[in-house]
Amino acid sequence: MTHTVLQIGPISDYIDPKLAQTFRLLKWWEQSQPDALLVAEGANITGIATNAPVGVPPGLLDRLPALKVISSRGVGMDKVDLARANTLGIQVAGSFGVLNGCVADMAMALILDTARQVSAADRYVRSGKWAHQRYPLTTRVYGKKLGIVGLGQIGSLIARRAAGFDMEIAYTSRRAHSDTPHRYFESARALAQWCDFLVVVVPGGAATRHLISREVLDALGPEGYLVNIARGSVVDEAALIEALASRRIAGAALDVYEHEPHIPEALSALDNVVLSPHAGSATRETRTAMDDLVVDNLRAYYENGKVLTPAAA
Ligand code: 8YV
C-alpha cells in the first residue's frame, strides 16, 4: 500500500527523491492553495516529513484527521507541537543519536575560533595586512573555565572534548545530574559569572526563550565569550549585539540566530563575533545518517507501528 506523506519543506537533494520514490509525496511548500490541498487530500495524509528548523506549521495537526506519524530531520522539536501530537496519538520521530558528535565538534571549533580568532586572522592574512603589522594577541583556551548551559547528550560530549583541552567544566540545567563529576550552578547567570566560555546547548522553545539575557551577558563580563549552537531564540540577540559592540563581553561565536537565515547587519558588522550558518550537524556523514532516518522512521511506523527514534513527549 502506498502511504501519503506531506513534506513540509525541502530537506536535501539526497533524501527528497528517496521520499518521493518511497511514498506518495505531497509538497506543502509548492502549494499555491494549501487549503485546497487539505480539502482534497486531508483525509489521505497519514505521515509528515519535515526538517527541524521548519517543523510543522501551527494548527496543521488539527487539520489532518488521518495523520499518524511525523518524521523530522534533526533533534530540535521547538517547531513541532509535541504536546498536541501526543494528545492526538501521533508519533513523532527526530534524528536522535546520529548528530551529537558533530554538534559537539562544532562547539569546540567555535570555542577555539572565538578565542584564537582563526576566521578573523584568515581574513587578516588574505587582506594583505600581515605584511604591514602583526596580528594582535588572542586569548588562551586550554586550562580555562567552560560553562555548559544544558548537560544533555550533546552537552556531555562537549564536556568530554573540553576535558581534552584541560578545561575546568561546570554546567547548569533544570536539575543537578548525579552521574557527572562536574560542578552544578543553579542559574545561567551564576554559571556565566564563574566561567570564561559559556556554551549554550539547551532546546529552543518558550521555556528557554531569552534565557541568555542582558543580565547573563553582563555576568559573563568583558573577558567572557558566548558560544551558541542551540537555537537563536535562547539568546536575546539585541542584548548580545549591544554587549559585543560595547565590549561588555569579549566575543561570541554563533551557529544559530533568532530569524534564520537573516543576520542583523549590526551583528555581521562586528569583528568580535564568529558567524556560522547553522551547520552543527552539516557534515556529509552525519547529514546522510539524519536524512536516512527521515525515511526509515516513516517506514518503520508503516511496517511495525513504531518509529525508530521517537521524540520524548
Ligand atoms: C538541523 C538542527 O536539523 O538537529 C537540529 O535540531 O537544528 C539541525 O541539525 C539541520 O540544520 C537541518 O536543517
Side-chain angles (χ1 to χ4, degrees):
M1 178 179 167
T2 323
H3 301 282
T4 303
V5 169
L6 180 65
Q7 184 177 353
I8 304 298
I11 299 177
S12 76
D13 293 346
Y14 163 69
I15 207 64
D16 291 353
K18 286 202 177 177
L19 277 165
Q21 279 157 23
T22 315
F23 307 106
R24 179 170 168 260
L25 199 69
L26 304 172
K27 297 180 177 178
W28 181 250
W29 76 100
E30 285 183 356
Q31 304 302 317
S32 54
Q33 296 189 310
D35 282 336
L37 177 83
L38 293 179
V39 172
E41 293 282 0
N44 301 326
I45 295 168
T46 53
I48 281 183
T50 190
N51 192 8
V54 173
V56 180
L60 188 58
L61 298 186
D62 287 299
R63 302 188 66 188
L64 297 172
L67 186 66
K68 294 283 179 283
V69 57
I70 298 170
S71 179
S72 181
R73 182 180 79 164
V75 297
M77 288 290 158
D78 45 309
K79 299 259 171 77
V80 178
D81 188 344
L82 278 185
R84 190 71 193 137
N86 202 28
T87 305
L88 295 170
I90 300 164
Q91 290 192 34
V92 182
S95 5
F96 300 104
V98 297
L99 57 71
N100 299 341
C102 269
V103 179
D105 286 353
M106 180 60 97
M108 292 312 297
L110 293 178
I111 289 168
L112 289 164
D113 199 346
T114 188
R116 300 300 306 272
Q117 302 183 12
V118 181
S119 304
D122 176 272
R123 291 192 293 273
Y124 190 85
V125 171
R126 286 172 201 273
S127 72
K129 288 184 187 155
W130 190 23
H132 310 289
Q133 201 171 8
R134 280 195 197 145
Y135 192 78
L137 299 180
T138 65
T139 300
R140 181 186 282 179
V141 170
Y142 81 84
K144 292 285 179 71
K145 291 179 176 144
L146 176 67
I148 302 177
V149 182
L151 198 70
Q153 293 184 11
I154 298 172
S156 304
L157 288 182
I158 296 170
R160 233 164 76 185
R161 283 156 174 68
F165 283 82
D166 298 329
M167 297 183 93
E168 197 181 331
I169 295 153
Y171 71 102
T172 186
S173 66
R174 274 167 301 179
R175 68 194 82 81
H177 296 231
S178 52
D179 55 352
T180 169
H182 304 306
R183 179 169 171 193
Y184 174 71
F185 284 86
E186 278 190 355
S187 68
R189 192 166 187 265
L191 183 67
Q193 191 102 49
W194 171 85
C195 71
D196 302 300
F197 295 88
L198 189 69
V199 178
V200 184
V201 212
V202 284
T208 57
R209 187 166 183 278
H210 288 189
L211 175 69
I212 307 303
S213 59
R214 170 187 304 274
E215 290 71 35
V216 172
L217 295 169
D218 280 336
L220 188 57
E223 305 294 324
Y225 294 86
L226 178 78
V227 172
N228 187 7
I229 47 131
R231 280 292 182 266
S233 60
V234 183
V235 175
D236 180 341
E237 203 165 85
L240 174 65
I241 291 170
E242 268 181 49
L244 286 166
S246 57
R247 310 274 156 170
R248 285 179 8 254
I249 67 169
L254 309 173
D255 189 42
V256 286
Y257 308 87
E258 279 205 81
H259 305 288
E260 290 174 16
H262 173 71
I263 313 283
E265 254 179 62
L267 186 62
S268 45
L270 294 169
D271 63 359
N272 55 345
V273 61
V274 178
L275 304 173
S276 165
H278 198 149
S281 65
T283 61
R284 282 188 298 279
E285 299 89 332
T286 289
R287 280 291 167 83
T288 304
M290 291 166 71
D291 283 2
D292 283 338
L293 263 178
V294 175
V295 170
D296 292 347
N297 269 310
L298 288 170
R299 214 186 252 141
Y301 176 78
Y302 289 125
E303 284 170 10
N304 308 314
K306 241 177 163 355
V307 296
L308 302 173
T309 51

